[in-house]
């Protein structure tokens, strides 16, 4: 790894020492899918993630955790640096790194997309190609500046996209230019600072390469000390005597002088200077750490942590109906918010972002956002139920505002006693909740017997709350109907879902008369809860050992039962018995059953399609799968070690099951193949067109075994939606839109 003589103004000596002793990762192709073409090569994804982990470790070393012993550098030497290990060491065993890894995934995918998007893949300024080094530096610095502006405006989605674009260009400089061939062993000292000259640049009349007819061209650069880079393709055309990028996708490499100088991979078929790939990767890694460090110095530790979501905690977002009949609900929201703030203040699970959006009719908003819990509480405390009193209200408009301002992977709580007036927003809010991966829970106190109830301007449909059901289903949340006298207790129970809980798959997914609901419990689960709400006359929960418990309140043989009107919650004694559990429910109407538990073992996922038409092989990320396309599912398992010993066997997942939504019927399954080191938890499944042959929602379920060989199942918190393949005349499109 790089020598300690490298001067990086924003790195401490401890991190340089760490870089020196960590094993090498084994630009660079876009992502892990590219390694099928060039095994052992270092990708843009590798460089981005390792750089972020190094700067996060530096932050943790310099800012000891409150109430916990400081981290020791020696505990990380000689080990693969993993987000789960960093979070467990800093925040405590089992602290989830899911949000951090999701944010880092956004950066990595934006980085990789630069090689695929039609607006960027052939632009030499974005890849330091065609000797456009000054123009490339201008675009690089501009992308970093836009990252800062977006991060300060709390638009972290845009900031991560711009950061990925900047890192791609920065990393490409060391692979596409001759900086390494000039004997340099440290990053370019002026690449990130536009007020300094880049140095002596080759001019258009300067010949730079000799002809090379072999795949490997180690000596094709002419003897000079000027900085140059290779030409790619036909735009711009390669002048006489100039170097090509090289490789099988580069049309210019067949024109004299043939060959090329890129160091993107270890394969000579793609990289004529493949023997220098590792040296280029080392400098690109150090330069990426330098860029992350620069952002940290400009944003401060708090702003940098928000940019990469370096926290195990969720955000707290409330959407509140403020019409005159909502006094009890608003008080319940205030009590629950105060409870969350005070209980978690100063700890690792203290929310880092607070959002509040009021609504009534005809108005909604404004949105209030802050990272200060006292400011949030003051703002919430000033809200009172006034005016209004009729139904419906502008709930979905307010929820859309909350989704736009709430960080991904957060919980949003909606308090109302009215149906939505803005039903036309249902599909948009549904799609936005999936895009933001936020779980929306509606607490609805619709009580026709209330003395000061809503005024009905018209006869309202019994299906008027269906838009809430649609959004809740799409977001992995739920709709809970309750009454004024129970709203405080129900809100307190639902507020506990801000902990990192997983929802366990239940078969069948809805209550069917005469059939038990079945779910599996593994040894990595704690805090198991069963929630039942509806017109329930009785229920029985049965453990794998045959022990049963009914609806009687208080402590039972399996756990503690509480009831609030038509809402029951059974908190199962820890540790819950592993194996197959059953629930039998007798009820009128459509009762709902939800089984949740705490665990650090969870997963993230995204989709992509293989790209083989250049400039680099890799996986083009999709916002959602497309019907009729050969699609790859990439899974990233979090919390594999759960604070256990390194020598303990890791859980492993063998296949993924696709189920229809909401029915739960199995649509098909696909085997999962590991990618990279097992402790990274990266898995890939190939989804053939025959499996994705329908337009509509489906859910994902991972099936495997824990370290002891026992069954293990995890379900995605939100369903996915397969969309139709666009036609030239269609307006829908599943690919990420080009963003500049």
């Amino acid at each position: 790894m790089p020598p300690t003589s490298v001067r990086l103004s924003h790195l401490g000596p401890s991190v340089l020492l760490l870089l020196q002793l960590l094993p090498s990762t084994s630009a660079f192709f876009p992502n892990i899918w590219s390694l099928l073409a060039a095994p052992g090569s270092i990708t843009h994804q590798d460089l981005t993630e390792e750089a972020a982990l190094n700067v996060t470790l530096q932050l943790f070393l310099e800012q000891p955790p409150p109430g916990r012993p400081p981290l020791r550098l020696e505990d990380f030497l000689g080990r693969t640096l993993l987000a789960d290990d960093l979070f467990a060491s800093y925040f405590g065993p089992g602290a989830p790194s899911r949000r951090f890894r999701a944010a880092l995934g956004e950066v990595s995918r934006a980085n990789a997309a630069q090689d695929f998007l039609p607006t960027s893949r052939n632009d030499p300024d974005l890849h330091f190609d065609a000797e456009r080094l000054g123009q490339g530096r201008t675009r690089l610095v501009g992308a970093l500046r836009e990252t800062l502006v977006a991060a300060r405006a709390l638009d972290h989605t845009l900031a991560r996209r711009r950061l990925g674009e900047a890192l791609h260009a920065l990393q490409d400089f060391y692979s596409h230019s001759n900086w390494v061939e000039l004997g340099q062993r440290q990053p370019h000292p002026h690449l990130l600072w536009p007020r300094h000259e880049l140095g002596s640049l080759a001019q258009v009349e300067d010949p730079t390469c000799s002809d090379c007819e072999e795949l490997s061209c180690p000596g094709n650069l002419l003897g000079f000390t000027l900085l140059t880079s290779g030409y790619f393709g036909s735009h711009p055309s390669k002048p006489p005597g100039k170097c090509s990028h090289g490789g099988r996708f580069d049309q210019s490499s067949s024109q004299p002088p043939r060959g090329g100088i890129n160091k993107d991979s270890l394969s000579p078929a793609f990289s004529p200077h493949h023997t220098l790939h590792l040296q280029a990767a080392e400098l690109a890694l150090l330069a990426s750490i330098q860029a992350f460090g620069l952002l940290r110095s400009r944003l401060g530790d708090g702003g940098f942590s928000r940019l990469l979501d370096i926290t195990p905690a969720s955000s707290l977002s409330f959407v509140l109906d403020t019409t005159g009949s909502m006094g009890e609900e608003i008080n319940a929201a205030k009590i629950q918010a105060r409870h969350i703030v005070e209980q978690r203040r100063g700890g690792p699970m203290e929310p880092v972002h607070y959002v509040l959006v009021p609504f009534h009719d005809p108005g909604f908003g404004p949105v209030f956002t802050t990272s200060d819990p006292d400011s949030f509480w003051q703002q919430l405390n000033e809200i009172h139920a006034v005016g209004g009193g009729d139904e419906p209200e502008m709930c979905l408009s307010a929820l859309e505002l909350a989704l736009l301002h709430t960080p991904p992977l957060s919980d949003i709580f909606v308090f109302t006693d009215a149906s939505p007036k803005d039903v036309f927003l249902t599909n948009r809010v549904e799609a936005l909740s999936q895009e933001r991966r936020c779980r929306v829970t509606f607490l609805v106190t619709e009580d026709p017997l209330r003395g000061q109830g809503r005024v009905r301007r018209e006869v309202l449909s019994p299906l008027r709350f269906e838009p809430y059901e649609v959004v809740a289903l799409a977001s992995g949340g739920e709709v809970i109907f309750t009454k004024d006298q129970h709203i405080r207790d129900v809100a307190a129970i639902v507020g506990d879902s801000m902990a990192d809980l997983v929802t366990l798959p239940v078969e069948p997914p809805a209550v069917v008369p005469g059939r038990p609901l079945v779910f599996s419990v593994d040894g990595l689960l704690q805090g198991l809860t069963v929630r039942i709400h509806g017109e329930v006359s009785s229920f029985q929960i049965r453990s794998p050992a045959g022990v049963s418990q009914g609806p009687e309140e208080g402590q039972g043989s399996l756990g503690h039962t509480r009831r609030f009107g038509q809402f029951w919650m059974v908190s199962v004694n820890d540790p819950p018995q592993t194996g197959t559990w059953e629930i039998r429910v007798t009820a009128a109407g459509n009762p709902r059953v939800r089984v949740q538990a705490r665990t650090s073992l969870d997963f993230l996922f995204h989709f992509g399609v293989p790209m083989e038409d250049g400039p680099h092989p890799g996986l083009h990320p999709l916002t959602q799968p497309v019907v009729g396309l050969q699609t790859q599912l990439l899974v990233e398992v979090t919390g594999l070690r759960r604070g256990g010993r390194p020598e303990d066997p890791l859980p492993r997942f063998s296949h993924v099951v696709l189920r229809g939504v909401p029915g739960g019927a199995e649509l098909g399954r696909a085997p999962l193949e590991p990618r990279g080191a097992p402790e990274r938890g990266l898995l890939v499944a190939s989804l053939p067109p025959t499996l994705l042959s329908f337009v509509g929602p489906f859910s994902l379920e991972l099936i495997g075994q824990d370290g002891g060989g026992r069954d293990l199942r995890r379900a995605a918190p939100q369903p996915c939606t397969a969309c139709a393949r666009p036609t030239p005349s269609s307006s829908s499109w599943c690919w990420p839109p080009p963003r500049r």
Side-chain angles (χ1 to χ4, degrees):
M1 293 300 289
T4 56
S5 61
V6 176
R7 294 192 189 93
L8 295 175
S9 59
H10 299 290
L11 290 178
S14 60
V15 175
L16 289 177
L17 176 62
L18 178 63
L19 283 169
Q20 194 176 25
L21 296 182
L22 277 175
S24 298
T25 55
S26 192
F28 310 111
F29 280 3
N31 44 40
I32 60 171
W33 188 256
S34 313
L35 299 183
L36 294 178
S41 299
I42 298 173
T43 68
H44 282 290
Q45 179 179 351
D46 294 326
L47 294 169
T48 300
E49 294 178 356
E50 189 169 341
L53 288 169
N54 273 278
V55 177
T56 301
L57 175 57
Q58 182 191 14
L59 188 154
F60 286 173
L61 290 169
E62 295 174 0
Q63 300 290 337
R68 291 182 54 79
L71 270 63
R72 301 185 310 164
L73 178 62
E74 52 267 30
D75 291 339
F76 296 91
L77 299 180
R79 291 168 48 188
T80 301
L81 200 56
L82 300 172
D84 287 347
D85 292 346
L86 283 180
F87 270 56
S89 299
Y90 190 79
F91 295 111
S97 64
R98 189 167 179 261
R99 291 178 180 83
F100 171 63
R101 292 175 71 167
L104 194 50
E106 290 182 51
V107 178
S108 295
R109 287 191 293 277
N111 184 328
Q114 291 295 90
D115 279 333
F116 304 124
L117 294 175
T119 56
S120 60
R121 64 179 184 176
N122 293 318
D123 187 338
D125 294 358
L126 300 179
H127 304 277
F128 282 98
D129 288 334
E131 294 188 322
R132 297 182 63 84
L133 302 175
Q135 296 91 330
R137 198 260 296 271
T138 299
R139 299 285 286 273
L140 164 61
V141 172
L144 286 175
R145 187 178 295 116
E146 291 175 11
T147 301
L148 288 170
V149 171
R152 287 167 177 157
L154 302 181
D155 189 348
H156 294 117
T157 298
L158 177 60
R160 291 164 192 156
R161 190 181 306 129
R162 292 292 183 261
L163 176 55
E165 294 167 0
L167 290 173
H168 186 100
L170 178 64
Q171 293 158 4
D172 269 356
F173 173 82
Y174 297 96
S175 177
H176 295 181
S177 77
N178 65 331
W179 183 257
V180 173
E181 287 87 344
L182 289 175
Q184 302 292 342
R185 292 296 178 263
Q186 59 183 354
H188 195 296
H190 301 150
L191 198 56
L192 298 177
W193 287 269
R195 296 180 181 179
H196 296 81
E197 296 293 332
L198 286 177
S200 300
L201 305 182
Q203 302 302 306
V204 66
E205 66 274 7
D206 296 323
T208 54
C209 265
S210 60
D211 191 59
C212 173
E213 60 181 356
E214 305 295 333
L215 291 177
S216 183
C217 301
N220 62 335
L221 276 165
L222 300 177
F224 60 90
T225 59
L226 302 176
L227 193 60
T228 184
S229 65
Y231 284 74
F232 183 89
S234 57
H235 301 288
S237 60
K238 183 175 70 171
K242 290 297 184 181
C243 299
S244 290
H245 176 87
R248 59 180 293 188
F249 295 116
D250 180 14
Q251 298 176 7
S252 78
S253 64
S254 61
Q255 305 165 9
R258 293 169 295 178
I261 63 170
N262 91 72
K263 298 161 281 293
D264 286 341
S265 75
L266 289 173
S267 169
F270 298 102
S271 303
H273 282 202
H274 60 99
T275 58
L276 297 176
H277 172 72
L278 295 180
Q279 291 94 309
E282 289 178 357
L283 293 187
L285 175 60
L286 280 176
S288 301
I289 293 173
Q290 192 175 23
F292 275 114
L294 178 63
L295 291 175
R296 180 188 169 197
S297 70
R298 299 289 173 84
L299 294 172
D301 287 348
F304 182 75
S305 295
R306 285 189 290 274
L307 171 63
L308 294 184
D309 231 344
I310 306 176
T311 174
S314 173
S315 296
L316 178 60
S317 293
F318 281 174
V319 178
L320 284 179
D321 186 342
T322 61
T323 45
S325 57
M326 284 290 294
E328 285 295 329
E329 291 86 342
I330 292 173
N331 287 334
K334 291 178 180 179
I335 292 171
Q336 181 58 20
R338 171 63 78 179
H339 172 72
I340 293 172
V341 168
E342 295 302 329
Q343 184 184 50
R344 304 184 183 189
R345 186 188 292 268
M349 299 306 292
E350 179 180 1
V352 295
H353 195 73
Y354 300 86
V355 178
L356 177 63
V357 186
F359 71 93
H360 46 88
D361 181 28
F364 58 92
V367 61
F368 175 78
T369 64
T370 182
S371 57
D372 178 20
D374 294 322
S375 296
F376 174 73
W377 170 247
Q378 181 179 356
Q379 186 74 18
L380 181 61
N381 211 32
E382 292 176 358
I383 290 182
H384 302 281
V386 292
D390 56 7
E391 183 182 1
E393 305 288 354
M394 302 294 286
C395 179
L396 295 183
S397 298
L399 177 55
E400 182 181 29
L401 264 184
L403 283 164
L404 290 170
H405 289 84
T406 299
L409 299 172
S410 296
D411 283 285
I412 299 177
F413 300 101
V414 181
F415 290 78
T416 186
D417 63 354
S419 56
K421 181 177 184 179
D422 41 7
V423 177
F424 63 93
L425 288 176
T426 301
N427 290 341
R428 193 158 80 190
V429 172
E430 175 189 9
L432 188 58
S433 71
Q434 289 191 319
E435 177 188 337
R436 304 289 290 175
R437 292 164 294 165
C438 287
R439 181 171 53 189
V440 182
T441 299
F442 295 86
L443 292 100
V444 183
T445 50
E446 206 281 332
D447 186 355
L449 301 179
R450 181 183 298 169
Q452 296 181 346
R454 295 278 184 177
V455 176
R456 267 60 173 175
R457 290 175 293 192
E458 57 191 44
V459 177
L460 298 175
S461 167
L463 302 177
R464 64 190 183 277
F465 293 105
E466 187 172 342
Y468 297 163
E469 303 280 3
V470 170
V471 173
L473 177 65
S475 70
E478 58 187 320
V479 181
I480 298 177
F481 291 92
T482 186
K483 296 185 179 181
D484 274 356
Q485 63 264 38
H486 303 305
I487 183 63
R488 295 189 183 185
D489 296 309
V490 173
I493 291 172
V494 174
D496 290 339
S497 68
M498 281 192 65
D500 267 81
L501 302 179
V502 296
T503 299
L504 304 185
V506 176
E507 176 63 31
V511 174
V512 177
R515 285 185 61 185
L517 303 174
V518 177
F519 64 95
S520 296
V521 173
D522 58 74
L524 303 178
L525 299 175
Q526 291 183 320
L528 181 69
T529 61
V530 178
R531 287 164 28 186
I532 305 171
H533 51 100
E535 299 178 49
V536 176
S537 56
S538 67
F539 64 84
Q540 287 285 328
I541 302 173
R542 181 183 175 90
S543 74
V547 179
S548 297
Q549 181 166 326
E552 296 78 15
E553 292 190 73
Q555 184 63 39
S557 53
L558 295 176
H560 190 269
T561 300
R562 288 177 287 175
R563 178 186 179 183
F564 306 103
Q566 294 184 343
F567 185 93
W568 281 265
M569 177 171 176
V570 181
S571 301
V572 177
N573 300 328
D574 268 336
Q577 186 181 6
T578 59
T580 301
W581 290 62
E582 290 186 359
I583 307 173
R584 293 183 179 271
V585 180
T586 303
N590 297 306
R592 303 139 193 264
V593 177
R594 195 175 184 89
V595 183
Q596 293 181 303
R598 294 193 313 273
T599 181
S600 59
L601 185 71
D602 204 352
F603 69 97
L604 301 161
F605 66 92
H606 68 276
F607 300 94
V609 291
M611 301 292 289
E612 299 178 353
D613 58 347
H616 301 302
L619 201 68
H620 190 323
L622 298 177
T623 56
Q624 56 194 111
V626 182
V627 172
L629 283 185
Q630 179 73 35
T631 303
Q632 302 300 319
L633 168 68
L634 276 77
V635 174
E636 186 174 359
V637 181
T638 64
L640 276 173
R641 282 211 177 104
R642 194 195 171 200
R645 299 173 301 175
E647 62 270 18
D648 290 343
L650 296 174
R652 50 191 176 87
F653 290 98
S654 57
H655 60 281
V656 60
V657 175
L658 279 64
R659 296 188 180 277
V661 173
E666 182 173 325
L667 304 175
R669 54 182 59 198
L672 287 164
E673 299 291 338
R675 289 284 186 270
E679 61 268 20
R680 291 186 66 185
L682 300 178
L683 306 167
V684 177
S686 182
L687 308 181
T690 53
L691 188 54
L692 292 176
S693 59
F694 59 93
V695 175
F698 62 92
S699 64
L700 292 175
E701 199 174 305
L702 298 192
I703 309 296
Q705 294 180 322
D706 63 19
R710 295 175 290 271
D711 288 344
L712 190 61
R713 303 165 75 95
R714 289 291 183 271
Q718 296 177 325
C720 317
T721 301
C723 65
R725 192 169 186 174
T727 64
S729 60
S730 69
S731 58
S732 63
W733 190 244
C734 292
W735 301 73
R739 295 178 171 95
R740 298 292 297 274

